[in-house]
Amino acid sequence: MFGDMMGMMGKLKEAQRKVEETKKRLDTVLIDENSADNLLKVTLTANREIKNITISDELFEDKEQLEDYLILTLNKAIAKATQVNESELAAVAKEGMPNIPGLDLFK
């Protein structure tokens, strides 16, 4: 029993290491999102860090429109990044979890 516990602890530590590596890798995965008319482009990492915002000169003429574009485009980009982030981390966590009878966290 003690050996099984040590084996499980080792697997959990390995899973934790893989999760941390995946988080670092997700810093290099870039998500691009454009407004419908391509007047605004946002780039962020899969860890939801904004890397770049490109704004067409045309949008500077209307502050309210620019604000709306920023909100809509950033929210879409964040949603995409969150989906990538969560699916990548869940896959790594599931792969590294020890098989504990009666405990199926990832159905």
Side-chain angles (χ1 to χ4, degrees):
M1 182 174 142
F2 188 68
D4 290 343
M5 186 65 100
M6 292 302 291
M8 280 193 271
M9 292 302 292
K11 285 184 179 184
L12 286 173
K13 285 185 186 243
E14 178 66 15
Q16 184 179 20
R17 184 187 63 76
K18 286 182 179 181
V19 165
E20 290 306 315
E21 287 175 359
T22 301
K23 285 180 182 179
K24 286 180 185 174
R25 185 179 57 78
L26 290 174
D27 279 334
T28 66
V29 175
L30 298 178
I31 310 293
D32 291 321
E33 184 62 48
N34 296 307
S35 61
D37 55 9
N38 292 317
L39 295 178
L40 178 74
K41 178 182 176 184
V42 174
T43 302
L44 60 150
T45 70
N47 281 327
R48 298 170 294 259
E49 180 182 329
I50 297 170
K51 290 294 187 179
N52 189 43
I53 297 176
T54 305
I55 302 170
S56 170
D57 290 340
E58 184 178 327
L59 286 176
F60 287 112
E61 297 169 11
D62 185 345
K63 180 181 181 279
E64 194 171 304
Q65 181 183 15
L66 175 56
E67 290 169 346
D68 290 343
Y69 271 59
L70 282 167
I71 290 167
L72 292 171
T73 307
L74 281 167
N75 282 334
K76 287 195 303 186
I78 290 167
K80 280 184 180 179
T82 298
Q83 182 180 11
V84 170
N85 183 290
E86 289 176 354
S87 65
E88 290 285 325
L89 290 176
V92 170
K94 182 178 181 180
E95 173 188 309
M97 288 297 290
N99 186 17
I100 302 171
L103 183 64
D104 191 4
L105 298 175
F106 302 101
K107 284 189 176 183

